[in-house]
């Protein structure tokens, strides 16, 4: 872990109409770390992710990704930057008219000089690395289960070996076995590819299993960041409730929840 | 041989005899440069500063093809091991049959698909009738409120568009017919032309086509979205009968309303024809009505007889398509448009069949 920030958010302000989502929000994602972003419903976790990748306009502050300031880039520069990150949306957001392999091939088509067989081979490798069986290559997204769609979305996000991966609720809606397999997959891929991972989640088990640091979003800003152990010491009522609730205790102690 | 790149990444390749020395970035962007080098070469990677999975994948391929790798750094070796471990294992390839077999098979499947579709439509018709029977046996369970709601939706709400369309068709017929009949000095027969074509064919056919477009799509969309959100499954578990609660009132409303719409269409069509005859040919409304009285009433009977049959066709096709919607929104859209196309097509086929039938029985 080098520790230099690949994503630097300073003084971010986003709002929809009168509704202010973020105000004076500061956040760093360091190279090689998995950062878990948590917060109650409606605290703007997904909005933050969308603002960082430039899908949502912000009303103030600066967002730097890999040293480039989002929002001021020329089109070619933005293209180049987009090829250095991958985004996995909540339900995979696969193109429904393409098979899984063709979906993963889409970003690879930007690479000049890659032959068809190389592109297919690389796509199949990514599909396999995301933990999908061979026969999923030819399936359409509608044929896949929710967990498989998420994996296929991850395969597409990883197609160009990005430096940063943004994951939006990667384990939501998965069964516990599928969710913990996905947690392990994220850690494995981080170690193998030296990824920096920005992970928006609700899942306490995921936080325990893979996150190096946790950032808590509340009151329109990042309330606190730190390791899981540090989170347990925070006094703020919401943070305390979140990390000391019955579900949190079950996740910490690794025992099944009684109810 | 030295290749240089000015884009994102640089890879230099030096080839000496059977030895390839790589330096710089061995990543997906530089992969194509390797294509000129021999597969089974000895590859020196000591000067490679960056490698990604694409590079590692190419190296595993070359190693499998008989190449040897030297000078791997510890980090790159572990990446290579990860990629090697994750290499996809292809399933056994399925033998692809010859083109003529595939064509034959495809044709057979489509023909069988049409037969299955027709039998499913027959099944839906049967289920609707059975639901109607159950509803009549247990009047308390009969969905009367729903029936009246759908009568309003498919009947009353369609009156303006049907009336305007028929009025204009009457105008067009009078205008075109008078132009032709004037050449023979038989202008007054334009009344017969309008009356017979509107009462017998155009009024009800065009009404059915409009209703097919309006209501078949609405049926598929409403039932399909319930199917998509598992509302229909929920009904079954709660002991509600979807055929009785959803399908019956919709189809029954159509069967009740389409003859009325046909009548509206016939009347406004005649009105349009009369107005245009008056303006264009000077046939006064009194003369128009007098000539109209000479037209056999059987034309109107033939026209209105078809209405309930068209209604059944539209309703059954719409509800069947709705029930076939899967879990995704895409199938909802696909089934909606296919329901409209099938309903319009089926109405026209049925109209042709009626023409032959009535010609044979001499009506």
């Amino acid at each position: 872990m080098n520790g230099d920030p690949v994503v630097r958010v300073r003084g971010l302000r986003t709002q929809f109409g009168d509704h202010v989502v973020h105000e004076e929000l500061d956040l760093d994602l360091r190279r090689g770390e998995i950062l878990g972003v948590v917060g109650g419903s409606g605290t703007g976790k997904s909005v933050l992710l969308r603002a960082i990748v430039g899908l949502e306009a912000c009303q103030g502050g600066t967002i730097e990704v890999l040293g480039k300031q989002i929002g001021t880039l020329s089109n070619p520069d933005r293209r180049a930057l987009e090829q250095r990150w991958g985004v996995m949306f909540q339900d995979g957001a696969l193109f429904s008219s393409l098979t899984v392999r063709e979906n993963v091939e889409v970003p690879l088509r930007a690479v000049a000089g890659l032959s068809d067989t190389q592109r297919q081979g690389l796509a199949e490798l990514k599909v396999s690395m995301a933990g999908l069986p061979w026969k999923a290559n030819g399936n359409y997204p509608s044929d896949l289960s929710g967990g498989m769609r998420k994996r296929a979305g991850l395969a597409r996000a990883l197609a160009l070996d990005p430096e940063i991966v943004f994951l939006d609720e990667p384990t939501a809606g998965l069964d516990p076995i599928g969710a913990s397999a996905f947690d392990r997959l994220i850690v494995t891929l981080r170690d193998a590819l030296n990824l920096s991972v920005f992970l928006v989640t609700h899942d306490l088990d995921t936080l325990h299993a893979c996150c190096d640091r946790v950032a808590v979003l509340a009151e329109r800003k990042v309330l606190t960041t730190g390791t899981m152990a540090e989170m347990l010491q925070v006094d703020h009522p919401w943070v305390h409730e979140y990390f000391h609730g019955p579900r949190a205790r079950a996740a910490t102690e690794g025992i099944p929840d009684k109810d | 041989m030295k290749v240089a790149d000015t884009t994102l990444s640089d890879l230099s390749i030096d080839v000496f005899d059977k030895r390839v020395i790589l330096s710089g970035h061995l990543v997906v962007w530089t992969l194509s440069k390797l294509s000129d080098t021999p597969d089974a070469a000895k590859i020196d990677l000591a000067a490679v500063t960056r490698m990604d999975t694409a590079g590692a994948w190419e190296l595993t391929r070359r190693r499998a093809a008989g190449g040897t790798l030297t000078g791997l750094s510890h980090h790159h070796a572990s990446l290579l091991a990860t990629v090697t471990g994750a290499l996809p294992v292809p399933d056994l390839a399925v033998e692809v049959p010859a083109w003529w077999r595939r064509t034959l098979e495809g044709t057979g499947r489509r023909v069988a698909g049409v037969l299955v579709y027709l039998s499913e439509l027959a099944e839906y018709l049967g289920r609707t009738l059975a639901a109607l029977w159950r509803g009549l046996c247990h009047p308390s369970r009969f969905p009367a409120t729903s029936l009246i709601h759908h009568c309003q939706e498919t009947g009353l709400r369609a009156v303006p568009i049907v009336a305007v369309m028929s009025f204009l068709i009457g105008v067009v017929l009078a205008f075109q017919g008078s132009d032709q009949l004037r050449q023979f000095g038989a202008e007054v027969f334009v009344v017969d032309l309008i009356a017979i074509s509107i009462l017998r064919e155009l009024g009800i056919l065009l009404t059915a086509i409009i209703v097919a477009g309006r209501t078949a799509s609405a049926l598929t969309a409403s039932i399909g979205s319930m199917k998509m959100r598992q509302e229909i499954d929920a009904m079954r578990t709660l002991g509600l009968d979807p055929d009785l609660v959803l399908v019956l009132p919709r189809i029954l409303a159509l069967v009740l309303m389409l003859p009325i719409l046909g009548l509206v269409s016939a009347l406004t069509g005649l009105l349009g024809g009369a107005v245009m005859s008056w303006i264009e040919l000077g046939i006064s409304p009194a003369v128009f009505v007098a000539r109209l009285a000479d037209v056999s009433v059987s034309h109107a009977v033939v026209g209105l007889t078809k209405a309930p049959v068209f209604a059944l066709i539209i309703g059954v096709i719409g509800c069947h398509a709705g029930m076939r919607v899967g879990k995704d929104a895409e199938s909802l859209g696909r089934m909606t448009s296919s329901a409209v196309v099938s309903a319009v097509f089926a109405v026209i086929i049925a109209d042709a069949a009626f023409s032959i039938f009535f010609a044979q029985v001499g009506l």
Side-chain angles (χ1 to χ4, degrees):
Chain A
M1 215 178 292
N2 306 346
D4 57 320
V6 285
V7 176
R8 250 170 78 93
V9 181
R10 287 292 175 270
L12 177 72
R13 179 186 177 84
T14 52
Q15 64 183 75
F16 301 107
D18 293 339
H19 176 62
V20 180
V21 184
H22 302 126
E23 204 169 17
E24 291 297 309
L25 183 146
D26 297 344
L27 186 69
D28 282 337
L29 171 66
R30 299 176 194 150
R31 189 174 291 279
E33 79 170 345
I34 302 180
L35 175 72
V37 177
V38 299
S41 299
T43 48
K45 304 183 293 291
S46 294
V47 175
L48 176 61
L49 191 155
R50 291 170 61 85
I52 293 175
V53 296
L55 290 171
E56 211 79 68
C58 51
Q59 278 72 38
T62 56
I63 301 173
E64 271 180 35
V65 179
L66 296 164
K68 308 257 171 43
Q69 197 174 334
I70 301 290
T72 62
L73 293 175
S74 65
N75 275 340
D77 286 349
R78 201 179 144 71
R79 257 327 282 143
L81 184 60
E82 277 167 355
Q83 282 160 354
R84 295 173 69 188
W85 75 47
V87 185
M88 192 200 92
F89 293 93
Q90 258 196 45
D91 195 34
L94 300 171
F95 304 120
S96 52
S97 56
L98 302 179
T99 62
V100 167
R101 186 181 61 212
E102 287 164 346
N103 260 289
V104 182
E105 279 182 55
V106 170
L108 289 168
R109 282 178 194 276
V111 182
L114 214 56
S115 72
D116 284 0
T117 40
Q118 278 178 325
R119 201 171 55 229
Q120 283 180 15
L122 280 173
E124 282 159 9
L125 172 69
K126 294 289 149 63
V127 169
S128 162
M129 285 180 87
L132 287 169
W134 169 264
K135 69 176 182 347
N137 278 305
N139 284 356
Y140 284 92
S142 55
D143 304 332
L144 301 179
S145 67
M148 289 171 91
R149 273 204 294 277
K150 281 177 197 280
R151 284 171 186 268
L154 183 62
R156 188 178 67 184
L158 293 175
L160 288 175
D161 277 279
E163 289 161 59
I164 311 171
V165 186
F166 297 92
L167 307 174
D168 195 356
E169 306 255 0
T171 52
L174 298 188
D175 64 84
I177 298 171
S180 58
F182 210 102
D183 294 342
R184 280 198 301 278
L185 175 67
I186 294 169
V187 176
T188 313
L189 289 176
R190 189 274 306 265
D191 294 343
L193 310 176
N194 192 28
L195 297 169
S196 315
V197 182
F198 183 98
L199 189 144
V200 171
T201 189
H202 264 307
D203 190 334
L204 284 155
D205 294 309
T206 302
L207 292 179
H208 278 289
C210 40
C211 293
D212 302 311
R213 279 196 316 143
V214 179
V216 181
L217 247 63
E219 295 161 11
R220 299 197 283 275
K221 55 187 197 294
V222 174
L223 205 62
T224 172
T225 57
T227 61
M228 276 307 279
E230 286 163 7
M231 285 301 117
L232 294 172
Q233 314 299 324
V234 176
D235 281 339
H236 187 277
W238 191 88
V239 181
H240 191 269
E241 177 67 24
Y242 192 94
F243 291 100
H244 290 273
R247 282 161 175 273
R249 270 202 300 279
T252 331
E253 292 157 18
I255 52 162
D257 205 333
K258 278 190 198 72
D259 38 49
Chain B
M1 186 175 72
K2 186 130 180 158
V3 195
D5 192 8
T6 52
T7 54
L8 192 73
S9 325
D10 270 326
L11 177 70
S12 311
I13 304 170
D14 298 287
V15 181
F16 302 108
D17 194 17
K18 280 238 145 197
R19 248 166 77 86
V20 179
I21 299 170
L22 301 179
S23 55
H25 294 175
L26 180 58
V27 292
V28 63
W29 303 95
T30 55
L31 205 58
S32 56
K33 291 182 191 164
L34 275 176
S35 54
D36 297 338
T37 58
D39 263 3
K42 192 170 178 193
I43 304 173
D44 190 338
L45 298 153
V48 169
T49 51
R50 215 178 126 213
M51 185 162 90
D52 68 0
T53 50
W57 173 77
E58 178 69 15
L59 293 180
T60 57
R61 199 182 64 75
R62 285 179 181 242
R63 195 161 56 181
T68 45
L69 313 174
T70 55
L72 270 170
S73 74
H74 172 69
H75 179 69
H76 293 162
S78 74
L79 180 64
L80 197 62
T82 309
V83 169
T84 314
L87 276 183
V89 186
D91 294 348
L92 289 174
V94 185
E95 209 176 311
V96 181
W99 66 268
W100 59 268
R101 260 188 92 155
R102 269 179 291 151
T103 317
L104 210 61
E105 198 184 312
T107 315
R109 273 183 200 286
R110 270 189 283 277
V111 172
V114 169
L115 294 178
V116 169
Y117 180 60
L118 290 178
S119 69
E120 282 178 5
L121 288 184
E123 182 200 327
Y124 267 78
L125 181 61
R127 277 165 57 173
T128 312
L129 293 177
L132 178 62
W133 179 248
R134 284 198 300 277
L136 292 177
C137 290
H138 305 277
S140 61
R141 293 217 314 239
F142 192 81
T145 318
S146 174
L147 175 67
I148 288 166
H149 168 75
H150 288 293
C151 283
Q152 179 181 342
E153 282 297 314
T154 56
L156 199 60
R157 293 263 158 87
V159 166
I161 186 169
V162 165
V164 169
M165 174 210 66
S166 306
F167 184 86
L168 292 176
I169 293 291
V171 166
V172 169
L173 276 178
F175 194 70
Q176 297 294 332
S178 66
D179 225 31
Q180 299 298 318
L181 291 170
R182 192 182 284 139
Q183 295 174 16
F184 308 102
E187 291 100 320
V188 80
F189 284 105
V190 81
V191 180
D192 300 66
L193 172 74
I194 295 166
I196 295 176
S197 51
I198 287 203
L199 290 180
R200 198 181 173 97
E201 284 293 334
L202 288 181
I204 190 60
L205 181 63
L206 292 176
T207 307
I209 287 175
I210 292 227
V211 169
R214 227 183 138 263
T215 310
S217 58
L219 290 185
T220 310
S222 68
I223 294 184
S225 59
M226 290 186 201
K227 180 88 194 304
M228 214 166 78
R229 290 193 299 253
Q230 295 187 309
E231 286 177 48
I232 290 179
D233 296 339
M235 278 185 177
R236 288 214 173 91
T237 59
L238 293 172
L240 293 167
D241 177 2
D243 288 340
L244 186 66
V245 178
L246 294 178
V247 176
L248 179 67
R250 284 172 167 82
I251 293 184
L252 207 55
L254 260 176
V255 173
L256 294 177
M257 286 298 120
L258 197 59
I260 299 176
L261 286 175
L263 201 63
V264 169
S265 159
L267 291 178
T268 48
L270 290 177
L271 183 68
V275 168
M276 201 61 198
S277 310
W278 199 12
I279 296 171
E280 183 71 13
L281 296 168
I283 298 173
S284 74
V287 177
F288 193 93
V289 172
R291 284 239 30 113
L292 196 60
D294 290 347
V295 176
S296 162
V297 75
S298 69
H299 297 306
V301 172
V302 165
L304 290 181
T305 312
K306 298 190 241 180
V309 179
F310 289 172
L312 266 184
I313 290 174
I314 295 168
V316 167
I317 287 178
C319 290
H320 169 257
M323 287 291 188
R324 283 225 312 203
V325 168
K327 279 183 187 153
D328 52 334
E330 195 197 350
S331 77
L332 180 62
R334 202 175 52 237
M335 290 316 295
T336 306
S337 67
S338 106
V340 173
V341 173
S342 313
V344 170
F345 184 67
V347 161
I348 290 172
I349 298 255
D351 192 54
F354 268 119
S355 294
I356 297 169
F357 171 74
F358 286 124
Q360 290 293 322
V361 300
L363 261 171

